[in-house]
Amino acid sequence: MSLTLDRPAVTSDLRFHPTTALIGADVSGIDLRHELDAETVSRLRQALLKYKVLFFRDQSIDDDQQIRFTRYFGAVTPAHPVTNGLEERPEIKVNKLFGGIQEYPTFRLDADHPLRPVSRSRKGRGWHTDITFVANPAAITILRGVEIPSYGGDTVWADLEALYDGLSTPLKGFLDGLHAIHVRDDAANGLPRPPRYDGRAPGPFASLHPLVRIHPETGRKALFLSTGFIKAIDGLQPSESAALLDYLNEELSGHADYQVRFRWAPGSIAVWDNRSTSHFGPVDGPHLKEQRIVHRTTVGGDLSIGPDGFVARPLVGELFNTIS
């Protein structure tokens, strides 16, 4: 009786198929149920830097295989700084949407609430980069479709490097020296969270980030715009901060040529670079009629750095740790 070893899979058929002229690529010729060889991992990492979002179809993997795949991109974090992951697999964050209703109650902030975003426009809301309320947000996110509606539930990503490049030179120079306050405090918003399984506090969190960040691997500049978490721009008057954020949020939401939209299916996987993208999904969440369940893992990130040399720092709460 012979023993068969589970050796890393050689994926000579690996291909990348751009989904738009600017951002996103479909990946074929790979089976994520198996370990990957070093050459394949290197090609995936380089492709992610180039395309910013990679899409995989028909990948019948489980949570453990998703965690293994995540490790190819770096050290894995807990599911989230605020909410717990699965008790037996703390790396996995389960996002559930039931017929347009989130798994937790909704709430509204009063107009004068101190944590209400300083913005007057509804444009751009829903867009965010993952976990920017900590000073070292996740570098890379992996999201896997588990239970997907027969229609609806799409996610859209925007290229924040292209968004920055499209601005005028004088405006770029102004933004290069600005810093934004990113906040999350569920207790203050009426949704206190239980302690994390690892004993760390579930908030509050606040961090100061450059409004423009330098990608640590490519050196490219990106507008670090995470609408869902930015409270204000440091040093500006409230009206100035609101006006500038409104303009930038409208630029983020209004440029279809900077965006890619993904139609989910069971077994679909999206991998994206949080250092150069913002995303919004599900874009039609309140209108869904069927259940949507996705499992998320994230890779630990660095402190963001701006063109002026400013390094992100925590204002409230600790840095985001890694566990594997």
Side-chain angles (χ1 to χ4, degrees):
M1 180 177 180
S2 62
L3 178 65
T4 301
L5 299 178
D6 185 13
R7 296 176 178 175
V10 178
T11 53
S12 57
D13 294 331
L14 182 65
R15 297 288 186 273
F16 301 98
H17 313 274
T19 47
T20 77
L22 191 64
I23 178 176
D26 291 312
V27 184
S28 64
I30 191 169
D31 186 342
L32 300 182
R33 293 175 299 176
H34 306 297
E35 294 184 22
L36 304 179
D37 62 284
E39 179 184 352
T40 298
V41 172
S42 177
R43 291 180 64 189
L44 288 172
R45 292 175 63 90
Q46 290 303 310
L48 183 61
L49 295 177
K50 178 179 180 179
Y51 297 110
K52 302 179 178 64
V53 191
L54 300 178
F55 304 116
F56 302 78
R57 295 286 189 183
D58 301 319
Q59 299 291 334
S60 299
I61 65 173
D62 58 24
D63 288 336
D64 289 332
Q65 291 166 328
Q66 179 173 347
I67 294 169
R68 181 182 66 190
F69 178 57
T70 305
R71 290 196 187 104
Y72 291 129
F73 296 93
V76 184
T77 69
H80 198 270
V82 175
T83 57
N84 280 309
L86 297 175
E87 188 168 6
E88 65 279 12
R89 293 179 185 84
E91 302 94 337
I92 298 288
K93 183 177 189 294
V94 178
N95 292 340
K96 295 181 180 180
L97 193 67
F98 297 97
I101 300 175
Q102 292 283 358
E103 59 183 323
Y104 48 80
T106 58
F107 63 93
R108 295 179 179 272
L109 294 179
D110 295 333
D112 59 350
H113 194 287
L115 291 179
R116 188 177 182 85
V118 184
S119 180
R120 298 166 297 194
S121 172
R122 294 189 58 83
K123 292 186 177 180
R125 295 186 183 178
W127 288 93
H128 66 284
T129 300
D130 286 333
I131 318 175
T132 64
F133 46 86
V134 299
N136 61 332
I140 296 166
T141 298
I142 292 87
L143 195 66
R144 173 170 59 98
V146 175
E147 188 168 338
I148 302 299
S150 55
Y151 55 89
D154 297 1
T155 302
V156 180
W157 288 263
D159 185 333
L160 295 181
E161 293 177 352
L163 185 60
Y164 177 83
D165 291 342
L167 301 174
S168 68
T169 299
L171 183 54
K172 289 178 187 175
F174 177 56
L175 299 178
D176 282 353
L178 295 180
H179 314 128
I181 303 168
H182 297 234
V183 176
R184 178 162 175 173
D185 186 350
D186 285 20
N189 291 341
L191 289 173
R193 300 292 185 177
R196 285 167 48 183
Y197 295 139
D198 57 12
R200 293 174 180 255
F205 292 95
S207 294
L208 189 63
H209 286 285
L211 190 57
V212 176
R213 71 178 300 179
I214 305 295
H215 196 290
E217 295 187 66
T218 68
R220 289 180 55 84
K221 292 182 181 180
L223 187 62
F224 193 9
L225 191 63
S226 185
T227 307
F229 298 124
I230 291 181
K231 177 180 182 289
I233 298 175
D234 190 38
L236 298 188
Q237 297 290 342
S239 58
E240 297 170 335
S241 177
L244 182 55
L245 287 174
D246 284 345
Y247 169 74
L248 295 176
N249 290 337
E250 290 175 6
E251 286 292 292
L252 172 64
S253 62
H255 272 283
D257 53 328
Y258 295 164
Q259 300 171 6
V260 61
R261 182 164 177 158
F262 185 57
R263 173 74 183 100
W264 290 93
S268 295
I269 295 173
V271 180
W272 65 91
D273 191 338
N274 279 298
R275 301 162 296 183
S276 56
T277 64
S278 186
H279 62 280
F280 179 15
V283 294
D284 54 357
H287 310 290
L288 290 180
K289 307 301 182 183
E290 301 173 44
Q291 181 169 261
R292 180 184 188 269
I293 301 177
V294 292
H295 285 195
R296 192 188 83 175
T297 47
T298 51
V299 173
D302 302 317
L303 299 172
S304 56
I305 300 177
D308 59 350
F310 177 80
V311 179
R313 63 174 186 265
L315 301 177
V316 179
E318 57 194 356
L319 297 177
F320 194 25
N321 63 307
T322 58
I323 57 177
S324 62

